[in-house]
Amino acid sequence: MEQLNDNLSYMKDFVPLDEEETKLVEDAADAINESITVPCTGCSYCTDGCPMHINIPKYFSLYNADLQEAEEKGWTPQGEYYDRLTQSFGKASDCIECGQCEGVWPQHLPIIGYLKDVAAHFETK
């Protein structure tokens, strides 16, 4: 109970954000969201029935992170990680376009198309 009261004490003098602060937070959120190519939440609903055992959320995460890297770096850890994951899971290019993943994904995004993008990005370097 002591810890709970301590945690709650920080809200004793609560002051909500003013308009300028709210705008700053919204601008930061917009900047972050604009840098994400595939808006995957990582729920993994799409992977359970994948006949090719493709690690879809992990590949999307690696793809998003790799696109934020400076191109002149050449090598990126995401490419290495992708290669290692494909030793245990199917590659993005192994997708047979059965559509199972898109039928269960709550965001209703075009997973098959995104997998093609991931394959083109990581498997052609």
Side-chain angles (χ1 to χ4, degrees):
M1 192 58 150
E2 181 181 334
Q3 183 179 10
L4 176 64
N5 287 330
D6 181 50
N7 290 342
L8 291 173
S9 72
Y10 291 99
M11 296 303 290
K12 193 176 352 178
D13 299 318
F14 174 76
V15 177
L17 298 176
D18 62 29
E19 278 186 43
E20 183 179 338
E21 293 167 326
T22 300
K23 175 83 168 99
L24 186 62
V25 170
E26 289 171 351
D27 289 347
D30 288 344
I32 291 168
N33 288 332
E34 287 173 6
S35 71
I36 298 171
T37 303
V38 181
C40 172
T41 62
C43 68
S44 294
Y45 293 144
C46 57
T47 59
D48 289 340
C50 177
M52 303 310 290
H53 307 288
I54 299 170
N55 195 338
I56 299 166
K58 180 58 77 176
Y59 293 169
F60 289 168
S61 177
L62 291 172
Y63 181 60
N64 285 332
D66 204 54
L67 291 177
Q68 294 176 9
E69 294 277 359
E71 284 187 38
E72 55 273 5
K73 279 180 66 175
W75 177 88
T76 65
Q78 292 85 1
E80 183 72 26
Y81 194 23
Y82 177 83
D83 289 342
R84 291 192 184 278
L85 281 172
T86 61
Q87 294 173 14
S88 300
F89 300 97
K91 295 180 180 182
S93 63
D94 291 340
C95 176
I96 59 172
E97 300 184 29
C98 68
Q100 182 280 334
C101 55
E102 292 184 356
V104 296
W105 203 18
Q107 288 86 9
H108 305 290
L109 297 173
I111 297 173
I112 295 168
Y114 284 137
L115 284 174
K116 289 178 183 180
D117 295 341
V118 170
H121 183 77
F122 286 118
E123 297 175 30
T124 58
K125 288 185 175 184

